[in-house]
Amino acid sequence: MKTAIIIIIIFITLCLISGQVLCVSVFGCSGGSLMFKCMYKTKSETDDQHKVKSFCRDRSCKMSISADVQSRWVYNGRFALYDDENSRFFTVFIRNLSIEDEWEYTCGNSQTRKHDVKLAVNRSRCGKSVIRDGYRGQKKITFRCEYEEKFKRHTKVFYRLNADPVHVLNSSRSSQSSEKKFNLSDSHKDHFNVTIRDISAADGGVYLCGVERDGSDHRPSETSIPHISFSTEIQLNVYSQTSVQVQAYSSKSVFITCTFPQEFKGNKKFLQRDSQKKILVDKQNQWVHYDKVHMFDDSSEGRLQVFISDLTAADEATYRCGVNIADDEDLFSEIKLTVKQVDNFPASSKASAVIGESVKLTCKFPEKHNETFTHFCKENKEKICERISSSEKRFEFSAGPAGVCTVSISNVSVRDAGVYWCGAETRHTHLTSVSLTNGHLLTPTLPPVVGREGNSSEIKCPYDGNHSTEIKYLCKGKCFTPDAQNITRSDEAHVIKPKISVKDETELNLFTVTLSDLRAEDSGIYWCAVKEAFNLPIKLMILKDVLLTPEASVGGSVSISCKNVTGQTLRLFCRGDQPNICVRDGVRVSSSNRANGRFSLTDETSAGVFTVNISGLTEEDSGKYWCAEESSGSLVFTEVHLRVIGETTSPDTEREEPQDKGKSETTSPDTEREAPQDKGKSGSFVIVAVSVGLILLAVCLVLILLKIKYSCKHGIISSSDRRETGDHERVQDSDPTSTPLYSTVQLPTIPSDLQNPLYSTAQLPTIPSDLQNPLYSTAQLPTIPSDGVLYASVSFQKHEESLSDTKVVFRKNEIDSDYASVKHNNTPH
């Protein structure tokens, strides 16, 4: 306190000793502006008007502004100076005050008269800036200027920057005259209003609201000169009245958004067609319906949304989208709506997406100017198309050819069901229009359920968590429609129904219905529903039989007969690992498309089957197929397995291949009989027979030797020896070591096959446990003697206790009784 008093005393002392320098104070508002007058001549002085006027910071004038012209503002940053040639003062203006501006300034002329001005700035920010929009031709616009209550008796000032004050009124003389361009009215409490009439382009600019301070409100210790403290700065933008051409399309919709100044966000909005009566929106923040026009007054944004659906040529008109700003004054945008009949935007299409998967929707736009943007929206319960939020990351846009865009929706869920629209959006200054062009009805579905006849299947119905306490339904046919068949509901768990059980897991938002003992008639489309909040379809497919087709060869054909078990209207044949994939992507032929390349279908109604023929088979045709019957979404399947193998050769062909070279030299027996000139026929047969006999004898000797060697090595004894050693030393025939080797030698058994008169096969046993015959050999000529062919048979066989005799028989011709028999004891020597 003492310090402040000392400063004031020093300041007054300096003012007293400064001769003609006067000391005064002015007060400003932080963030606001300040205007005051500096005297540079007295009434008796008439020659000073041409002297340079200046305003300096402190006496050194390091920062200064000066003017040697009159009736014109001179600027230096935030500081300005104006010299009125008809007065003894020049005006100083300081804009956007800050605490740093608090200082002592010097003002006066360049020669004699000067005085100091002490500037004090209110440290709490009290100034504010306002932006207002007006329209050319607007009847009036009103501004509200606030002030502190202590200034309620002070003169109020409304000032336009860069020009003379346009209106200064003493509060006791406030005028309400409607004839004046500017009209000021004071509440004498905390604000005054200024109205500007008949807005023109010249009315745009910066305006200031302030009060005149004459010293009655400052500290008595300080001398104050009259000055104006401005607390409100208003930027007025004047636009031409908006008039927009909007093009829409027949049978489609149009979305129009009108934006108004924020000060009118609480005012009544309206829509007016031509010169008809205004349609007032009497409710805010909710859709108001009027015929096929819907309007939404968004008070938070100060805008009116207009949605017009099912457009026709009769909807072409000039509309006014506006807001009432006074009793007799409106602010509006003019909309000239044209409705065009086009064929390149088809009617609303239907799309289906499996829950959890993705779907793509294609949008076509009119080829217009560059400021066209993509708009994508979804109809709500009121059939209003609301824009998809940009925060919904599951929706992605991708540009295609000119006028085409694709919208991808990933991870489809129950809530995505509904009608979507694509549109071309055009933005104007205060109006945005969207011409909706393509509609898509999106139906989320659950993955198909496949059940086998006689077994059970579960139908799982997900639902939104908001419906956890509601009753859930399962219907065959869309629920809540006249044709729907109610299967069960979640509150029937206590009711015993054959074949049906239910479970409602509210923590998982899942309603599960189990159907048991399935039959073909259980197939079809079921619907999961909660009230009418949503209806979610799911297909139940029934597998009836499994049909195995015989093997087919490459290049051949195959016919598959499918039973028409249910008499359904559509029969089809498809390929795929799963029935649902088969029907969706693998249909080869159907009753509506009976021929498709190598596939064809024929109906045999009387036999209750339909037959599918596949020609020109390849190995790639092997796989799983399905015979299917469908009617109204009911699908019954028969599983078909087809195996196509490559070309194979017979054993006879295999034997002929390595001897191709000798084919021309060897003839069949029939050929030989037909050729009388072949006199050496019987001699050839004799040679062959003798050769075979010799070979057989050699084989027998080898086998006998091997047998003797085997017996010695493994201690096999005769029957007399075995009797002496007793039963406990008897060798069991089932011992795996008792049959280590066998051999087979065999001649062809078909006499006519003389291309290969002799062959032999020798091999070790492949089944070690087969020890019943540890050693045997067979050599054999054809068994049909009528051809006069010599043949021989040599065999060895071991029975459980002893080896049987071995016979060697030679026979020549059926009428020759001579034969020889040789017996060998089978006991090794």
Side-chain angles (χ1 to χ4, degrees), residues 263-308:
E263 62 265 27
F264 302 130
K265 63 183 181 181
N267 294 33
K268 291 281 187 181
K269 314 299 189 305
F270 67 88
L271 184 71
Q272 184 179 24
R273 173 173 174 165
D274 295 327
S275 58
Q276 297 177 7
K277 186 178 179 180
K278 298 176 184 176
I279 305 173
L280 291 175
V281 184
D282 54 1
K283 296 179 181 178
Q284 288 191 322
N285 303 317
Q286 67 181 75
W287 286 99
V288 177
H289 179 222
Y290 183 85
D291 194 16
K292 60 181 178 181
V293 178
H294 296 76
M295 295 175 289
F296 187 92
D297 182 3
D298 186 349
S299 63
S300 63
E301 297 292 336
R303 64 185 181 182
L304 177 65
Q305 300 179 61
V306 179
F307 183 77
I308 309 175

Side-chain angles (χ1 to χ4, degrees), residues 35-52:
M35 182 182 290
F36 58 90
K37 296 182 183 296
C38 285
M39 183 183 295
Y40 67 90
K41 66 180 179 178
T42 64
K43 290 182 181 181
S44 60
E45 295 174 324
T46 58
D47 299 327
D48 291 343
Q49 64 265 27
H50 299 295
K51 295 179 180 178
V52 177

Side-chain angles (χ1 to χ4, degrees), residues 785 811-818:
R811 179 173 296 174
K812 180 179 179 182
N813 296 330
E814 185 176 2
I815 59 175
D816 193 349
S817 60
D818 294 337

Side-chain angles (χ1 to χ4, degrees), residues 537-556:
I538 179 172
K539 279 188 177 181
L540 175 60
M541 304 176 178
I542 301 298
L543 304 184
K544 191 168 180 63
D545 299 307
V546 177
L547 178 62
L548 300 175
T549 62
E551 290 183 350
S553 300
V554 171

Side-chain angles (χ1 to χ4, degrees), residues 448-455 457 459 475-477 485 487 499 515-527 538-544 565-570 579 627-638:
V449 175
V450 180
R452 190 170 294 278
E453 192 173 44
N455 293 347
S457 281
I459 297 178
C475 313
K476 196 169 186 181
Q485 176 189 352
I487 301 300
K499 299 177 56 176
L515 304 178
S516 59
D517 192 21
L518 294 171
R519 293 290 179 262
E521 56 269 22
D522 291 326
S523 68
I525 299 179
Y526 291 76
W527 293 77
I538 179 172
K539 279 188 177 181
L540 175 60
M541 304 176 178
I542 301 298
L543 304 184
K544 191 168 180 63
V565 294
T566 63
Q568 303 286 30
T569 56
L570 177 64
C627 299
E629 302 169 60
E630 180 180 12
S631 178
S632 301
S634 297
L635 280 163
V636 178
F637 291 87
T638 298

Side-chain angles (χ1 to χ4, degrees), residues 349-368:
S349 62
K350 294 183 179 180
S352 180
V354 177
I355 289 178
E357 298 184 3
S358 300
V359 65
K360 289 185 177 181
L361 307 178
T362 301
C363 305
K364 294 181 66 177
F365 305 103
E367 297 182 10
K368 296 177 64 179

Side-chain angles (χ1 to χ4, degrees), residues 669-687:
D670 294 337
T671 305
E672 291 178 309
R673 284 195 296 270
E674 292 174 359
Q677 67 271 19
D678 191 0
K679 297 180 180 180
K681 172 182 175 182
S682 58
S684 299
F685 283 124
V686 171
I687 294 172

